[in-house]
Each structure stands twice: as structure tokens, then as C-alpha cells.
Amino acid sequence: MKLQLIRNATLKLDYAGRTVLIDPYLAEKHSLPSFTGRSANPMTDLPIAIDDILDGVELVIVSHLHTDHFDEVAKARLPKHLPIFCQPGDAEAIREAGFTDVTELGDSATWQGLKLTRREGSHGLGPVVEKMGWVMGFTLEADGEPSVYWAGDTVLYPPVEAVIRDTAPDVVVTHSCGARWDGDLILMDADETLAVCEAAPGRVIAVHMEALDHATVTRKDLREAAAARSVSASKLLIPADGEVLAIEVGG
């Protein structure tokens, strides 16, 4: 498996001979409104050209419809025939953007040898969830590839812990910027990410960092917190935008 962090939650996976794009957020730097008044969003440029991001993509996964996961540029630039998996309830809105092959991921589905299983997520806890709306994570499996649990826009709570415990994924991808909305935590912070590291048997890849102005945890913050808890850099990977990670089964 090769995993390339594009920016924020946007990942490009080469997996079992297929190329998958997750949560495309392709807007230009500072082209969208601020969440907190600190900066216009996104706060960083794309690390590579959009044409290069889209090159070879065969499948798109959209976890939810927040603009930092599926934006207007992505809607305009993605070929409309590409198959898209989304969470239940989002297909109609994606079809309204012109996409013709949209499938809601109920429990699980198989596409070209890739098995996708939807996993529960909570974009915060308590009343803030009503503001954030429903989100999903998923697990990805294929013969000869490491199993991946992409937790998505969630905090650490019992259903996430249960997926890690019950499926023992080779790789867990966390959204670890500690974003807050009206003071409430809506994504994993450093402490929660490190708790995932301590629970997960395999590697943890922390993304969704340094791109949005409601984030509270930087890559540097997370590395320092990991060192303080004796979590090694080989256990917790914190890629830069554009960086490609190659991970083998058991590696």
C-alpha cells in the first residue's frame, strides 16, 4: 500500500492495484471563509497540482459533505463518471452535483477486490454533534494488503475503541488536529491520538492537521506529546502534505 497525504483529510491510496481518493478538498489557499476568525481557509496550498492528484483515480470515497471533505472545486474537477461511495443520506446531494455512479455504503461493499466496511464516528460529543451532523469512518481490506481503519472526523469514543479492539487493523488513520467548534472538541486531539497509538496493534497515521483555522494541535505539538509518552516515530507517523508512505503487510 502507498498512502499519500494530499492535505487535511484528503488521501490518495494505491491499494491492491487500485487508486482511491478520499475526501477531496481541492480549494486554493485562503479561498474559503474562516471558522474562527484566525485565518481564511484552507491555510495551506495544495502540495501538487490538481491534475496530478486526480491522475489515475478510479474510486472516490466521501465520508461526509462538510466543505473541507468535498468542496466545490472537487465537484467541478472530478470526472462525473467516477464511482463514489458515501454515507447513507448523502447520495442525493452528490448526484445533484452531476455524479452518476454514487453508492451509499450501508454496512459493507466490495469493489474491484476491495472490501469497504462502514464504521461509526462522532464529530464531537454532546450537543455539538447536532451542529456537525452525521459522519462515517470505514475499514478497507484486500488480499495481500495491510488492513486500514480510516477513523474519519471523529473523537475517540467507545465505538472507535471497539473497532480497533475487534478488528486489530494494521493501520489506523486518525484526524488529529484537535479542532474545536464553539469550544467543543470535534476531532481527536493529541491525548486521544496517543490513546489510539497505545490501543492499536499496528501503526497510526495522523492527518487532518495545519490546514484549517479551528485546529488546535500542530504536527510539532503531536510529535512532542508522543515523545513525552514514549510513543515512537515508527509507531505514530505524521506525514507532511504531499508525503507518500509505503506500508507492507506486517511492516
Side-chain angles (χ1 to χ4, degrees):
M1 176 183 79
K2 289 185 178 180
L3 178 153
Q4 183 177 29
L5 171 61
I6 304 301
R7 180 185 61 189
N8 202 51
T10 307
L11 302 182
K12 189 174 183 179
L13 299 183
D14 290 332
Y15 193 85
R18 301 297 175 183
T19 301
V20 181
L21 186 66
I22 301 170
D23 279 8
Y25 178 43
L26 306 179
E28 291 185 2
K29 180 180 178 180
H30 292 164
S31 63
L32 296 173
S34 167
F35 292 136
T36 66
R38 182 162 66 95
S39 171
N41 289 307
M43 296 170 58
T44 56
D45 290 310
L46 287 169
I48 58 176
I50 292 177
D51 285 346
D52 293 330
I53 295 169
L54 300 183
D55 184 40
V57 170
E58 300 169 276
L59 176 69
V60 179
I61 302 172
V62 175
S63 67
H64 63 299
L65 299 180
H66 287 177
T67 55
D68 62 308
H69 294 260
F70 190 50
D71 67 357
E72 294 302 318
V73 179
K75 293 174 187 177
R77 295 294 302 272
L78 283 167
K80 296 298 189 288
H81 69 275
L82 278 177
I84 296 177
F85 279 103
C86 65
Q87 69 174 341
D90 286 353
E92 182 177 355
I94 296 173
R95 291 190 188 105
E96 287 176 354
F99 295 93
T100 59
D101 187 357
V102 185
T103 302
E104 293 185 348
L105 185 59
D107 293 321
S108 64
T110 300
W111 179 87
Q112 299 293 321
L114 277 57
K115 182 180 179 182
L116 288 161
T117 303
R118 183 168 58 89
R119 302 298 181 181
E120 182 179 330
S122 188
H123 210 337
L125 295 173
V128 73
V129 175
E130 294 183 12
K131 300 176 185 178
M132 294 296 102
W134 296 109
V135 297
M136 75 169 183
F138 61 86
T139 50
L140 180 64
E141 300 167 281
D143 291 341
E145 291 284 7
S147 58
V148 178
Y149 171 33
W150 188 90
D153 265 14
T154 186
V155 294
L156 181 62
Y157 76 131
V160 172
E161 295 169 336
V163 173
I164 295 170
R165 180 182 64 248
D166 296 343
T167 69
D170 296 307
V171 175
V172 181
V173 180
T174 60
H175 293 179
S176 298
C177 69
R180 290 185 175 272
W181 196 267
D182 294 336
D184 292 314
L185 187 70
I186 59 172
L187 293 179
M188 292 188 200
D189 59 10
D191 284 344
E192 292 189 350
T193 302
L194 296 177
V196 170
C197 292
E198 292 162 354
R203 294 182 176 182
V204 176
I205 302 174
V207 301
H208 205 309
M209 305 181 76
E210 299 180 8
L212 302 171
D213 75 327
H214 62 336
T216 64
V217 178
T218 66
R219 291 178 172 96
K220 180 175 182 288
D221 294 335
L222 185 55
R223 289 191 182 98
E224 290 176 350
R229 289 217 344 220
S230 299
V231 174
S232 71
S234 61
K235 174 72 174 186
L236 174 61
L237 307 180
I238 309 173
D241 290 352
E243 185 173 349
V244 177
L245 304 176
I247 299 175
E248 303 294 334
V249 175

